[in-house]
PDB file of all heavy atoms in Angstrom:
ATOM      1  N   ASN A1189      94.414 106.342  82.004  1.00  0.00           N
ATOM      2  CA  ASN A1189      93.143 106.230  81.289  1.00  0.00           C
ATOM      3  C   ASN A1189      92.900 104.718  81.026  1.00  0.00           C
ATOM      4  O   ASN A1189      93.837 104.009  80.645  1.00  0.00           O
ATOM      5  CB  ASN A1189      93.221 106.964  79.992  1.00  0.00           C
ATOM      6  CG  ASN A1189      93.200 108.467  80.214  1.00  0.00           C
ATOM      7  OD1 ASN A1189      92.496 108.970  81.032  1.00  0.00           O
ATOM      8  ND2 ASN A1189      94.050 109.139  79.435  1.00  0.00           N
ATOM      9  N   CYS A1236      83.816 107.243  85.213  1.00  0.00           N
ATOM     10  CA  CYS A1236      83.016 108.546  85.091  1.00  0.00           C
ATOM     11  C   CYS A1236      82.790 108.867  83.609  1.00  0.00           C
ATOM     12  O   CYS A1236      82.836 110.086  83.272  1.00  0.00           O
ATOM     13  CB  CYS A1236      83.814 109.677  85.743  1.00  0.00           C
ATOM     14  SG  CYS A1236      83.794 109.535  87.546  1.00  0.00           S
ATOM     15  N   LEU A1237      82.596 107.851  82.799  1.00  0.00           N
ATOM     16  CA  LEU A1237      82.355 108.056  81.401  1.00  0.00           C
ATOM     17  C   LEU A1237      81.189 108.939  81.074  1.00  0.00           C
ATOM     18  O   LEU A1237      81.304 109.868  80.265  1.00  0.00           O
ATOM     19  CB  LEU A1237      82.236 106.720  80.702  1.00  0.00           C
ATOM     20  CG  LEU A1237      82.303 106.705  79.156  1.00  0.00           C
ATOM     21  CD1 LEU A1237      83.669 107.297  78.698  1.00  0.00           C
ATOM     22  CD2 LEU A1237      82.056 105.281  78.582  1.00  0.00           C
ATOM     23  N   THR A1238      80.147 108.805  81.812  1.00  0.00           N
ATOM     24  CA  THR A1238      78.975 109.591  81.596  1.00  0.00           C
ATOM     25  C   THR A1238      79.189 111.019  81.930  1.00  0.00           C
ATOM     26  O   THR A1238      78.778 111.964  81.177  1.00  0.00           O
ATOM     27  CB  THR A1238      77.723 109.025  82.318  1.00  0.00           C
ATOM     28  OG1 THR A1238      77.545 107.664  81.939  1.00  0.00           O
ATOM     29  CG2 THR A1238      76.436 109.820  82.067  1.00  0.00           C
ATOM     30  N   GLU A1239      79.736 111.276  83.127  1.00  0.00           N
ATOM     31  CA  GLU A1239      79.943 112.607  83.712  1.00  0.00           C
ATOM     32  C   GLU A1239      81.105 113.355  83.108  1.00  0.00           C
ATOM     33  O   GLU A1239      81.013 114.566  82.739  1.00  0.00           O
ATOM     34  CB  GLU A1239      79.989 112.581  85.222  1.00  0.00           C
ATOM     35  CG  GLU A1239      78.813 111.971  85.949  1.00  0.00           C
ATOM     36  CD  GLU A1239      78.987 110.457  86.067  1.00  0.00           C
ATOM     37  OE1 GLU A1239      79.758 109.808  85.371  1.00  0.00           O
ATOM     38  OE2 GLU A1239      78.318 109.952  86.959  1.00  0.00           O
ATOM     39  N   LEU A1240      82.259 112.627  83.050  1.00  0.00           N
ATOM     40  CA  LEU A1240      83.502 113.328  82.677  1.00  0.00           C
ATOM     41  C   LEU A1240      84.142 112.776  81.407  1.00  0.00           C
ATOM     42  O   LEU A1240      85.198 113.170  80.967  1.00  0.00           O
ATOM     43  CB  LEU A1240      84.526 113.147  83.804  1.00  0.00           C
ATOM     44  CG  LEU A1240      84.078 113.684  85.171  1.00  0.00           C
ATOM     45  CD1 LEU A1240      85.166 113.380  86.216  1.00  0.00           C
ATOM     46  CD2 LEU A1240      83.901 115.210  85.159  1.00  0.00           C
ATOM     47  N   GLU A1241      83.453 111.811  80.783  1.00  0.00           N
ATOM     48  CA  GLU A1241      83.970 111.198  79.521  1.00  0.00           C
ATOM     49  C   GLU A1241      85.343 110.555  79.699  1.00  0.00           C
ATOM     50  O   GLU A1241      86.176 110.597  78.845  1.00  0.00           O
ATOM     51  CB  GLU A1241      83.943 112.225  78.379  1.00  0.00           C
ATOM     52  CG  GLU A1241      82.584 112.791  78.054  1.00  0.00           C
ATOM     53  CD  GLU A1241      82.620 113.736  76.857  1.00  0.00           C
ATOM     54  OE1 GLU A1241      83.657 113.964  76.280  1.00  0.00           O
ATOM     55  OE2 GLU A1241      81.490 114.228  76.558  1.00  0.00           O
ATOM     56  N   GLU A1242      85.484 109.875  80.892  1.00  0.00           N
ATOM     57  CA  GLU A1242      86.709 109.167  81.055  1.00  0.00           C
ATOM     58  C   GLU A1242      86.570 108.068  82.131  1.00  0.00           C
ATOM     59  O   GLU A1242      85.634 108.116  82.948  1.00  0.00           O
ATOM     60  CB  GLU A1242      87.888 110.101  81.536  1.00  0.00           C
ATOM     61  CG  GLU A1242      87.689 110.592  82.955  1.00  0.00           C
ATOM     62  CD  GLU A1242      88.846 111.546  83.435  1.00  0.00           C
ATOM     63  OE1 GLU A1242      89.647 111.931  82.524  1.00  0.00           O
ATOM     64  OE2 GLU A1242      89.052 111.696  84.640  1.00  0.00           O
ATOM     65  N   ILE A1243      87.443 107.055  82.026  1.00  0.00           N
ATOM     66  CA  ILE A1243      87.463 105.976  83.003  1.00  0.00           C
ATOM     67  C   ILE A1243      88.940 105.885  83.371  1.00  0.00           C
ATOM     68  O   ILE A1243      89.822 105.893  82.542  1.00  0.00           O
ATOM     69  CB  ILE A1243      86.979 104.662  82.378  1.00  0.00           C
ATOM     70  CG1 ILE A1243      85.577 104.798  81.723  1.00  0.00           C
ATOM     71  CG2 ILE A1243      87.020 103.532  83.416  1.00  0.00           C
ATOM     72  CD1 ILE A1243      85.176 103.503  80.976  1.00  0.00           C
TER      73      ILE A1243
END
Side-chain angles (χ1 to χ4, degrees):
N1189 291 318
C1236 286
L1237 192 59
T1238 303
E1239 301 89 339
L1240 302 174
E1241 298 183 2
E1242 69 178 17
I1243 305 173

